[in-house]
Amino acid sequence: MTHLLVTGGAGFIGSHITAALLAANHDVSVLDCVHPAAHVRPVQVPTGVRLHRADVRDPDAVRAALRGVDAVLHQAALVGLGAGPGDLPEYVGCNDLGTAVLLAAMSEAGVKRLVLASSMVVYGEGAYRCDRHGPVRPAPRAARDLQAGHFEPSCPDCGQPLATGLVAEDAPLDPRSGYAATKVAQEHLAAIWARECGAAVAALRYHNVYGPGMPRDTPYSGVAAIFRSALAGGRAPQVYEDGRQRRDFVHVTDVAAANVAALAARPGFRAYNVASGRPITIGEVAETLAGAVDGAPPVVTGRFRLGDVRHVVASPGRAERELGFRAAVSPADGLREFACAPLRG
């Protein structure tokens, strides 16, 4: 048995990780500030789990939580695109300053193993190929193109349509939102810490996580929860762009399993996609959820968010080869179950 600290362990993903660690016979503590973006109702943790109700930016609280700890699973973060640029200080504070404080305290305490919750947003757009120019990185989509309904990125050299592929962990990092920039910074800080301390970091790049206990419809919610909340309220899910944007939706129980597996990652810094390996369009997500509850058919609105990217589909091979992790829940099955699952708040 090892003693593990889960930051953000009372939240959506963190609570599932905590449960998975307990099932694997680990001793678990949780550090969670109970941020209002993630928590509405009173917070509870499983029996036997110690809850440090504190902010990860508080050095004294983090030092206290690290006493006797063998490894940290760092989930505490503000997620999603947020409501606008005014959220940037809070994102940078929660995500980057919080990570820096944690890493400094881990160095002081001699804790040398970290599983970091990263995200597929670090890639920006996914993998693309031009018939003429080979692999290319499209520029951020222009507002005028999106307003005209031109959603697909084009080749930056010839302007021709692109074919999409699987994005692997060695793809260039290209954050295109404030949240994405903070996740890249977290990875860089953790890599520096691992190198200077001779430590191990597994950065798990979560793709679109969904499942029971997901927060309800807020500016920080994932799209699956937003659709789910609309259907629960008798409303049609509102699908942005043309609904054909492709993502990989991974069930939260698979994410928890990936975290358990990542505790055995080798020393140094290593990134892993955590994904189902079965891509799906946003429109299909809305249709699956609506069909599972006989809800109102989705409405394709043509609206867009400038910080969004078009397609991000993962290659999950590295996590399977090196960690022995393979997602067990298909999006088709998981989304049908999620359509009736309880939400948080």
Side-chain angles (χ1 to χ4, degrees):
M1 178 186 292
T2 53
H3 185 187
L4 306 174
L5 176 66
V6 184
T7 71
F12 164 47
I13 296 174
S15 62
H16 284 272
I17 293 170
T18 297
L21 294 172
L22 291 172
N25 295 316
H26 293 292
D27 183 18
V28 183
S29 296
V30 163
L31 175 72
D32 201 302
C33 72
V34 193
H35 195 289
H39 304 276
V40 176
R41 296 178 181 172
V43 167
Q44 294 181 328
V45 295
T47 301
V49 173
R50 182 180 179 187
L51 172 62
H52 301 267
R53 186 163 178 166
D55 197 308
V56 74
R57 292 170 286 188
D58 181 341
D60 292 335
V62 173
R63 290 189 195 101
L66 284 171
R67 293 191 187 112
V69 164
D70 300 297
V72 176
L73 299 96
H74 183 32
Q75 312 299 310
L78 194 60
V79 302
L81 286 181
D87 279 343
L88 286 174
E90 185 71 358
Y91 271 89
V92 172
C94 287
N95 299 357
D96 298 340
L97 177 59
T99 298
V101 170
L102 174 65
L103 294 173
M106 290 177 67
S107 177
E108 181 181 321
V111 181
K112 294 190 174 183
R113 184 164 293 277
L114 175 69
V115 180
L116 174 66
S118 187
S119 171
M120 57 88 172
V121 297
V122 300
Y123 298 120
E125 290 284 354
Y128 292 87
R129 184 176 185 85
C130 173
D131 287 342
R132 180 178 176 186
H133 295 100
V136 296
R137 299 287 297 174
R141 296 181 297 169
R144 62 180 179 276
D145 291 333
L146 297 172
Q147 289 164 353
H150 301 149
F151 302 121
E152 294 289 345
S154 57
C155 177
D157 297 317
C158 67
Q160 294 301 304
L162 298 172
T164 61
L166 300 180
V167 62
E169 291 86 350
D170 57 358
L173 304 186
D174 186 17
R176 298 192 176 181
S177 69
Y179 169 61
T182 68
K183 301 311 284 187
V184 171
Q186 282 184 300
E187 287 199 12
H188 287 325
L189 291 168
I192 292 166
W193 172 80
R195 186 168 60 250
E196 293 185 353
C197 296
V201 175
L204 303 184
R205 292 175 178 166
Y206 302 159
H207 285 249
N208 291 70
V209 186
Y210 70 99
M214 199 173 186
R216 293 184 186 275
D217 186 0
T218 78
Y220 312 96
S221 295
V223 67
I226 293 172
F227 291 162
R228 169 76 170 70
S229 294
L231 289 163
R235 304 183 305 277
Q238 303 292 297
V239 179
Y240 279 23
E241 301 187 17
D242 58 3
R244 297 176 184 171
Q245 55 272 51
R246 297 169 74 237
R247 297 288 189 273
D248 190 306
F249 280 74
V250 58
H251 198 271
V252 68
T253 57
D254 282 324
V255 173
N259 274 266
V260 176
L263 288 167
R266 66 195 192 191
F269 177 92
R270 191 74 163 161
Y272 297 94
N273 285 326
V274 175
S276 73
R278 286 162 276 197
I280 188 171
T281 69
I282 298 297
E284 288 170 335
V285 171
E287 290 167 2
T288 300
L289 292 171
V293 295
D294 291 326
V299 175
V300 177
T301 67
R303 295 199 300 270
F304 61 88
R305 298 188 302 180
L306 197 57
D308 277 339
V309 296
R310 181 61 173 173
H311 305 294
V312 187
V313 178
S315 170
R318 179 185 288 181
E320 184 170 3
R321 291 191 305 271
E322 297 183 10
L323 302 179
F325 165 74
R326 183 174 183 176
V329 182
S330 72
D333 292 337
L335 287 166
R336 282 194 294 269
E337 175 259 341
F338 175 63
C340 300
L343 298 180
R344 178 180 295 262

